[in-house]
Amino acid sequence: MAESDKVFAGSIPKFYDTLMVPRAPEAYAANLAELVAASSPGSVLETAAGSGVVTRALAPKLSADARYVVTDLNQPMLDYAASRQGFDSRIEWRQADALDLPFEDASFDVVCCQFGVMFFPDRVAGYAEARRVLTPGGRFVFNVWDRIEENAFADDVTKAVAAVFAHDPPRFLARTPHGYHDVALIREELSRAGFADIRIETREEVSRAPSARDAATAYCHGTPLRNEIEARDASMLRLATDRATQAIASRHGEGPVAGKIQAHVIVAAV
Ligand SMILES: C[S@@+](CC[C@H](N)C(=O)[O-])C[C@H]1O[C@@H](n2cnc3c(N)ncnc32)[C@H](O)[C@@H]1O
């Protein structure tokens, strides 16, 4: 993973939340929240919470006396999430690296993480850290994107932007968000971290956007793909977005667009 892949700062939190979240993460947030809430946990830790799409879905499902600690590596993402959430005395916002959690052993009934583990530099270490803070019988509930070919807009954008920078194609989307989809590997790494009961479901959803430009802008401006494009030539961000727009429009039409998205949803118990 490139160092810039984990930088969600500057204009990215706002673009991520307003453009990207409605295109893809939102479709999975309600499902993750239901899985977390199913055991009526008294304490929940969310890691890599980003701009808070799961937090907004989960908080209403938790009991009035639940403890809900919401964390992310990047403080600007958490600040954005907190500003959207409004005051909730059950929620504690805290900057934290999921691989080095500032919590005691066995302090949460559930740890949840939506589309975050792909960013962990060492997955087994991240899983072991989730396991360490879980109570006996606790559950780790998370999801990961499937391969990029199963996720239409991300694939279209990656190919179109690659053609703009033919000698050094930006591969953020394929490398990181869509780079950890091997179910056998996920099982093996969870087992190595000490999880015993591992259930994985593959869920297909549809991503919708008002226009091809809207979808292209989400990926090119609202994710660290923007960091990669700007590192090559900041003046090319507009051209790259235009090419991505054309690619999506040519496959999905000029008006409102819809494309397949697919993810693996995992529930692992200690
Ligand atoms: C694709 S976003 C997902 C955000 C949110 N969960 C969602 O579903 O929209 C990935 C998030 O992982 C965070 N992240 C990256 N590396 C991390 C780490 N080591 N520990 C905690 N969070 C991390 C980033 O700051 C970013 O907010």
Side-chain angles (χ1 to χ4, degrees):
M1 187 177 72
E3 206 43 38
S4 65
D5 287 9
K6 60 182 183 193
V7 180
F8 285 72
S11 59
I12 289 180
K14 181 169 176 242
F15 279 123
Y16 179 80
D17 193 62
T18 55
L19 296 173
M20 191 66 228
V21 165
R23 302 289 78 82
E26 203 162 76
Y28 290 88
N31 167 251
L32 207 80
E34 267 167 34
L35 289 169
V36 172
S39 57
S40 304
S43 53
V44 176
L45 170 67
E46 183 176 355
T47 56
S51 61
V53 63
V54 169
T55 316
R56 293 190 285 280
L58 178 55
K61 295 183 184 300
L62 296 177
S63 65
D65 58 353
R67 176 182 181 224
Y68 186 8
V69 181
V70 181
T71 66
D72 193 276
L73 182 67
N74 286 291
Q75 185 69 45
M77 288 296 256
L78 272 188
D79 290 343
Y80 191 93
S83 75
R84 280 212 56 186
Q85 189 75 32
F87 179 73
D88 184 330
S89 60
R90 301 167 304 167
I91 300 180
E92 181 185 328
W93 304 95
R94 188 147 175 194
Q95 187 277 334
D97 185 340
L99 279 78
D100 186 18
L101 294 169
F103 307 109
E104 301 280 309
D105 294 0
S107 38
F108 296 96
D109 298 327
V110 177
V111 174
C112 67
C113 182
Q114 168 151 291
F115 302 130
V117 306
M118 305 88 94
F119 294 83
F120 295 178
D122 179 340
R123 241 89 58 177
V124 177
Y127 295 160
E129 192 63 347
R131 184 180 183 281
R132 180 185 69 74
V133 301
L134 278 171
T135 51
R139 295 177 307 135
F140 181 30
V141 180
F142 67 101
N143 52 22
V144 299
W145 291 117
D146 202 345
R147 68 186 73 245
I148 197 163
E149 293 80 5
E150 306 289 353
N151 288 270
F153 297 153
D155 199 30
D156 296 338
V157 168
T158 297
K159 287 175 179 155
V161 174
V164 175
F165 299 96
H167 297 296
D168 185 15
R171 298 280 302 160
F172 164 73
L173 292 171
R175 176 179 61 240
T176 299
H178 296 282
Y180 183 63
H181 47 73
D182 180 339
V183 169
L185 178 64
I186 295 168
R187 277 187 189 283
E188 186 217 310
E189 293 192 335
L190 282 165
S191 299
R192 280 168 57 200
F195 286 95
D197 179 7
I198 301 162
R199 291 159 202 229
I200 303 183
E201 181 202 2
T202 301
R203 284 181 74 93
E204 179 181 335
E205 300 278 354
V206 176
S207 172
R208 297 181 195 283
S211 68
R213 177 158 301 276
D214 196 285
T217 306
Y219 287 94
C220 294
H221 295 233
T223 75
L225 174 59
R226 180 188 188 130
N227 302 336
E228 269 196 309
I229 294 171
E230 291 185 332
R232 283 159 178 75
D233 183 346
S235 71
M236 298 287 268
L237 181 62
R238 187 179 179 142
L239 177 69
T241 311
D242 287 348
R243 293 287 165 79
T245 301
Q246 289 157 9
I248 293 173
S250 71
R251 284 193 60 202
H252 305 280
E254 293 291 341
V257 289
K260 176 186 174 185
I261 49 177
Q262 191 159 292
H264 303 305
V265 183
I266 300 107
V267 179
V270 175

